Amino acid sequence: MDPTYVAVARTDTIAPGRFIKVTVQGQDYLIANTGGHFYAVEDNCSHEDYPLSYGCLDGDRIKCSLHGSRFSLRTGQPLDDPADQPIRTYRLRIAEGQIWLDPSDSDHSDSSA
Ligand code: FES
């Protein structure tokens, strides 16, 4: 396994339709299982820096519990007002039932530049 990847959970510990919060190097992430597909996003709503882990899954979207914006877990894009900026998404690898996260590999790391 690429050394930048960090083991974060076993696949069988996240039931379909559920997510868990993990902390890697001081940063919080959500690891979600949308029914066979696993996704990783930052645990932070882009609207007012509120933990998305207080929210809930809606298919392949995470809904913020504070003002209700939903974000695509695949792209990080906001789907509802009031959020208008994406959240960061991260690549995962699955190997032998283990989920690995690359915390350095945000798909939106330069989106605000
Ligand atoms: S803090 Fe998430 S929608 Fe406002």
Side-chain angles (χ1 to χ4, degrees):
M1 182 61 64
D2 184 320
T4 60
Y5 279 79
V6 177
V8 290
R10 303 275 317 164
T11 54
D12 58 7
T13 62
I14 312 174
R18 306 296 294 242
F19 65 83
I20 63 169
K21 173 182 170 179
V22 299
T23 303
V24 177
Q25 298 164 2
Q27 189 75 35
D28 294 332
Y29 302 87
L30 297 186
I31 311 297
N33 178 352
T34 63
H37 288 95
F38 290 89
Y39 297 98
V41 299
E42 63 178 320
D43 182 18
N44 187 56
C45 182
S46 63
H47 179 229
E48 288 189 357
D49 295 332
Y50 190 76
L52 287 171
S53 55
Y54 294 165
C56 60
L57 287 186
D58 173 17
D60 62 354
R61 299 167 289 269
I62 180 78
K63 182 177 180 179
C64 180
S65 63
L66 191 55
H67 303 115
S69 289
R70 294 175 302 159
F71 297 87
S72 168
L73 292 169
R74 289 183 296 105
T75 66
Q77 290 297 319
L79 303 169
D80 307 288
D81 291 336
D84 60 3
Q85 295 294 316
I87 58 173
R88 294 180 183 204
T89 62
Y90 296 85
R91 288 190 187 149
L92 294 175
R93 289 185 181 171
I94 312 292
E96 299 177 359
Q98 182 71 50
I99 303 171
W100 299 79
L101 166 75
D102 182 353
S104 68
D105 189 25
S106 168
D107 289 341
H108 299 290
S109 58
D110 297 319
S111 63
S112 60

